[in-house]
Structure formats: structure tokens, C-alpha cells
Amino acid sequence: MSFAELLDHVGGMGRFQIIYVILLAIPVFMMASHNLLQNFTAATSEHHCHVHINISNTPYTNLTGKLTAKDLLRVSIPMDSKLQPEKCHRFVTMQWQLLDSNVTITNLTELETEPCADGWVYDKSIFTSTIITEWDLVCDSRQLKQMAQSIYMAGILVGGIIFGGLSDRFGRRSLLIWCYLQMAVTGTCTAFSPSFTAYCIFRFLTGMAFSGIVMNGVSLSVEWTPTRTRAIVGTMYGYCYTIGQFILAGMAYAIPSWRWLQLVVSLPYFIFFICSWWFAESARWLVIAGRPDEAVKQLQRVARINRKKEEGEKLNSEVLRSHMQKEIASAKSSYTYIDLVRTPVVRRISFCLCFVWFSTSFAYYGLAMDLQNFGVNIFLIQLVFGAVDFPAKFISVLTISFIGRRFTQALALILAGLSILANIFVPQDLKILRTVLAVFGKGCLAASFNCVYLYTSELYPTVIRQTGMGLTNTMARLGSITAPLVKMLEEYIPFLPLIIYGAAPIISGIAANFLPETLNVPLPETIEEVETRLVESIGRQ
């Protein structure tokens, strides 16, 4: 009797699993709020230099009460090519002659200018406060905005490395509880950051917690649900994240102050922390960790909640030992990241998954964190970017469940890459068409994410599953950190970022074709089981 059969023996997808999955899903609604938060808390408003205008001792003293704000800007700040005030420079002296319609200035570029020495004035009609307006992250400091997002993503990367290994050693439940608390505390501290440096530190720690929540939540749901329902459960989590994008847009619209918005998206994690104490530790992990007695208690608890008490009482540590001898024996060996590349099949899986995770995250955040460049209402485009996930993930769950994981993964990535590359040939003034292609590409990448979380957890055996999730999560975060850096290349070659964003998913889509199929295949428990399965499948072919 395998563990999957033991799980069916105590109720399969019963009441316990339904409650468990729901409790794990609720925090996912708020995950998008943290991941995409800087689209709003770091939104760049229209701005220009702050100027002190003194009109005394000028020929225009008698116009004191007649000058409009536009006139004052005209004489103090040069205009750009779009006849808007320049963002980073002002005239050294007031150019009052610009108000005289009879005076012709042949070359405005010859007028002496200087950087903004007295700060900036921001348009607060949409956002009353952002980290940009609070710490003046514009002009020479504008790169700090991208740095803040990269630091957050670096936190997710470090969290994947640290929490991936720790959860294989200390358990999924304990790490998940800790990450809920860390998310709540550091997210709240971020809202009260006294400086940009403190803000970046707390965002880094929040990113670490985000990574731990994702990895351990996915593992617990996969290890407590039957094989036949894993795709549906995984897709449900994906839809929760999608709905979270709608929630973020609504909250950002209703709360224009970045500190209050940061606080509102962080406080719910204190509630999630309290509720998480009900969670049961993964019985699979307990067996692998050499704690079969505790695994029996958890399985009996599950059987009791699923109204299968009699079946649960028949279980004992001897039953587990007799039917899971390979898994228990494997616990005597210690596993590290080296085991992800030590054997041929697992090595191939690791290399291919690294390509898939890197490119999916790389292209996804290249699109999702650049909403202001679409030239439309930022709240509307956030809703559209979220809405496309519904059909994308619905189609992906159908192909995942009936055609296979490998097909879905490869197709989603290749289509995403092609749609991004197509935008190279669309003129800049066709904003609607460019937006449609970007939205389609984002939908394909969302489908890729939807598939790869499930696919990765099914490809790696239990003994190194969290370690493997940590490695692939690391590659995803490297992709998300690299994305804004690539965006900077458009200052030199405008279409180069699109080439890179589009080529990466296509290459990884090809790599995905070399992964084993896991449709209707029980979760592997040991590395040896993964190796022998491929040999057996080749033999059948």
C-alpha cells in the first residue's frame, strides 16, 4: 500500500482536505497585494522642480494678481518636446520675457538651466503619497525605485534558499507558521519605515516570508490531497492569486496613501498566523523524517475528521513501516542540493525546470511591473492584467488534466514568447494592439506559473521536494531581479528588451519538452523511484 492509497483509505479528498485547502488558499488572496504592491506604492506621478518665484523688481510687478500657475511655470521651468514642464531642470533665473507674446526666443536651449535644488512638486490627484513623493526617488534617484523592487525580489530568492532547505529538515507546518508571522510583522514595519533604507530592509524580509509561504503552502496541499485532485487544487490557488490582483487594484484605488495601503495588506497575516496552528504536519514528511508514530496520529486525525475513524484506528506505525520501507530507509541518508544533480534523470529535471522557472518569472515581471508605460489608467490595466488569468488558467487546467503537464508548460511558454516578440513589429502609436499582445503574453505566463508549481512538486521526490522547490524558486527570483535591469537597455536599443523577454520563454518552452510527464502518476517518494520510472516508460515505448 503506497501513501496515496493510505490517503484514500482515510477519506481521500474528504472534509479535512477541503478545510485544509481553503485555509491555505485564503492567504493567497493577499499574496498578489505584496508581490505587485510597488505598482501603486511606488507609482511615479507627474512632477517638476519646486521653484521660489520673486516677481518684485521686474517689469512684470504689476501682473502679480494676474499670473496663472501655468504662467509661473512657463517662466521658471523649460518645456519638453511635449510642451510639458521638464521633470529635472529649471531656469537659473526667471525668464519673464517668455510671457511677452511680442518677444521671440529663437533657441530656448540656450537659456541656462540647473537641476532641481529645492525639491519637486508632485501631482497628487491619483496618489496622495508614494515612496517616490516621500523620498524624492526621481531624476538622478529614479533608479532607486527599481532597486527597491529588486531588493524585494532578492528577499524572495534568499527565502527560497533558506526556507526550502529548512522545511525539509524541520517540517512544512512549522516553517509556514513562522513565515505568516514574519510576513505580518515585517509588512507592518514597512508601513512605518522612517527612511528609504529601512523600507528596503523590511521589504527584503517580507520577500523572504512570501517565498516561504508559497513553497510550504504548495507542498502541504500537494502532500495532503489525492493525485486526481492536485491539478484542480493548484488551479484554485492560481485563481485566488488572480482575484488578489483585483483586490489590490480596488484597495489601491480606495487608499491613495502608500503607508495605509501597505498596512492594510499586511495586517491580515496576523489572523492567518493564528489560524495556521490548526494545520497538520505533512504525514509524508513525518514518515520520511523517521517519525512514523506522529504520522499515524496525523492520519488518524484526518480519518476522524473525514468520518473514517474505524479505518484510521487500523493504522499504526508497524503498518506504515511495512508499506513504506523504502521511504523510511531513505530517511537515514541526508539530502542536499547536490542530490538535485547527482543522478541523470533528476539532473535533467533540475536543469529544465531552472530554465522554465527563470524565463517565466523573468518575462512575467517584465510585463506586470511596468503598468504605467501602457499609457492608460493604471487601475484599469491592473484589472485587465488580472482578468486575463481567468481564461488562461481555465484553459491550462483543462490541458493539464486531460492532455498533460508537459504539453501545457511548453505551449504556454512558446506562445508567451511569440506574443512578446510580435510587439517589436507593432508601431508605438497602436497602443491598443500593443496592450492586447502584452495582455495575451501575460495570460500565457500566468498559465505557465499555474502549471509549473504543480509540475515541479510532482517531478521531485518527497525526500528532496522542498530542496528542489527552493532551487527552482531561486531561479525564478533571479529572473524577477534581472527583468528590471534588462528594461534599462531600451535607452540604448529600444526593441532589445522585447527580444530578450520574448526569446527566453521560447527557449525554456523547448526545454520543457525534455521533462517526464506526470499526468495520473503517483508522487515519487525517493530519488531511485524517479530514476526507475523513466527507464520503465522508455521500455514501454
Side-chain angles (χ1 to χ4, degrees), residues 229-242 389-390 392-398 400-401 450-451 454:
T229 62
R230 290 200 303 260
I232 296 174
V233 171
T235 302
M236 185 194 73
Y237 288 146
Y239 277 126
C240 290
Y241 186 88
T242 298
D389 286 8
F390 283 101
K393 291 178 179 178
F394 177 73
I395 294 172
S396 72
V397 74
L398 292 179
I400 286 171
S401 300
N450 190 53
C451 181
L454 174 66

Side-chain angles (χ1 to χ4, degrees), residues 144-161:
L144 294 179
K145 170 185 174 179
Q146 299 297 340
M147 188 186 77
Q149 181 65 19
S150 292
I151 288 174
Y152 170 76
M153 290 300 179
I156 298 181
L157 186 154
V158 173
I161 296 172

Side-chain angles (χ1 to χ4, degrees), residues 190-206:
T190 303
F192 296 97
S193 299
S195 65
F196 178 70
T197 301
Y199 171 85
C200 290
I201 292 172
F202 289 128
R203 282 286 285 171
F204 178 86
L205 295 173
T206 301

Side-chain angles (χ1 to χ4, degrees), residues 126-139:
I126 299 177
F127 299 103
T128 59
S129 173
T130 67
I131 67 170
I132 304 299
T133 63
E134 182 151 343
W135 293 308
D136 289 332
L137 306 183
V138 293
C139 297

Side-chain angles (χ1 to χ4, degrees), residues 75-189:
V75 301
S76 57
I77 299 176
M79 298 294 165
D80 60 19
S81 59
K82 298 179 181 179
L83 298 181
Q84 296 296 320
E86 281 197 12
K87 302 180 189 303
C88 302
H89 292 87
R90 66 181 184 182
F91 291 126
V92 174
T93 58
M94 300 297 102
Q95 303 299 318
W96 298 105
Q97 68 274 20
L98 296 177
L99 295 177
D100 193 337
S101 58
N102 296 322
V103 176
T104 301
I105 304 298
T106 57
N107 192 354
L108 290 176
T109 60
E110 294 180 355
L111 299 177
E112 190 176 0
T113 61
E114 64 181 0
C116 302
D118 300 312
W120 288 262
V121 175
Y122 297 93
D123 178 5
K124 297 186 177 182
S125 60
I126 299 177
F127 299 103
T128 59
S129 173
T130 67
I131 67 170
I132 304 299
T133 63
E134 182 151 343
W135 293 308
D136 289 332
L137 306 183
V138 293
C139 297
D140 291 341
S141 299
R142 65 185 181 276
Q143 300 298 340
L144 294 179
K145 170 185 174 179
Q146 299 297 340
M147 188 186 77
Q149 181 65 19
S150 292
I151 288 174
Y152 170 76
M153 290 300 179
I156 298 181
L157 186 154
V158 173
I161 296 172
I162 294 176
F163 293 132
L166 288 179
S167 61
D168 273 341
R169 179 169 297 184
F170 298 107
R172 285 72 158 121
R173 175 181 176 272
S174 300
L175 268 295
L176 183 61
I177 292 173
W178 170 260
C179 289
Y180 281 146
L181 179 61
Q182 181 172 323
M183 176 74 86
V185 172
T186 58
T188 301
C189 289

Side-chain angles (χ1 to χ4, degrees), residues 110-335:
E110 294 180 355
L111 299 177
E112 190 176 0
T113 61
E114 64 181 0
C116 302
D118 300 312
W120 288 262
V121 175
Y122 297 93
D123 178 5
K124 297 186 177 182
S125 60
I126 299 177
F127 299 103
T128 59
S129 173
T130 67
I131 67 170
I132 304 299
T133 63
E134 182 151 343
W135 293 308
D136 289 332
L137 306 183
V138 293
C139 297
D140 291 341
S141 299
R142 65 185 181 276
Q143 300 298 340
L144 294 179
K145 170 185 174 179
Q146 299 297 340
M147 188 186 77
Q149 181 65 19
S150 292
I151 288 174
Y152 170 76
M153 290 300 179
I156 298 181
L157 186 154
V158 173
I161 296 172
I162 294 176
F163 293 132
L166 288 179
S167 61
D168 273 341
R169 179 169 297 184
F170 298 107
R172 285 72 158 121
R173 175 181 176 272
S174 300
L175 268 295
L176 183 61
I177 292 173
W178 170 260
C179 289
Y180 281 146
L181 179 61
Q182 181 172 323
M183 176 74 86
V185 172
T186 58
T188 301
C189 289
T190 303
F192 296 97
S193 299
S195 65
F196 178 70
T197 301
Y199 171 85
C200 290
I201 292 172
F202 289 128
R203 282 286 285 171
F204 178 86
L205 295 173
T206 301
M208 287 183 63
F210 179 95
S211 189
I213 291 172
V214 171
M215 287 193 301
N216 290 287
V218 168
S219 291
L220 281 173
S221 65
V222 165
E223 293 176 359
W224 272 121
T225 54
T227 303
R228 64 182 180 277
T229 62
R230 290 200 303 260
I232 296 174
V233 171
T235 302
M236 185 194 73
Y237 288 146
Y239 277 126
C240 290
Y241 186 88
T242 298
I243 295 172
Q245 296 181 56
F246 292 133
I247 295 174
L248 172 61
M251 288 192 299
Y253 181 79
I255 308 173
S257 171
W258 81 267
R259 289 187 182 273
W260 281 105
L261 180 59
Q262 177 72 48
L263 189 63
V264 167
V265 301
S266 300
L267 290 178
Y269 281 91
F270 283 108
I271 300 175
F272 304 150
F273 165 71
I274 295 172
C275 294
S276 64
W277 287 91
W278 178 86
F279 291 164
E281 181 56 272
S282 167
R284 288 178 183 269
W285 176 81
L286 288 171
V287 172
I288 299 302
R291 295 155 62 180
D293 292 339
E294 294 180 45
V296 170
K297 291 180 181 178
Q298 296 295 347
L299 288 169
Q300 289 176 339
R301 176 191 177 194
V302 172
R304 187 168 59 254
I305 296 175
N306 287 342
R307 298 177 181 175
K308 298 280 188 178
K309 186 176 180 179
E310 293 183 0
E311 286 80 354
E313 290 176 348
K314 297 176 183 177
L315 295 176
N316 54 54
S317 58
E318 294 301 324
V319 172
L320 284 181
R321 288 193 183 97
S322 62
H323 293 290
M324 303 182 71
Q325 291 179 358
K326 290 191 301 182
E327 292 82 355
I328 296 173
S330 68
K332 297 178 181 179
S333 304
S334 59
Y335 295 94

Side-chain angles (χ1 to χ4, degrees), residues 61-78:
T61 304
N62 60 338
L63 296 178
T64 303
K66 299 180 181 179
L67 291 177
T68 64
K70 186 175 181 180
D71 291 331
L72 294 176
L73 286 178
R74 175 74 172 158
V75 301
S76 57
I77 299 176

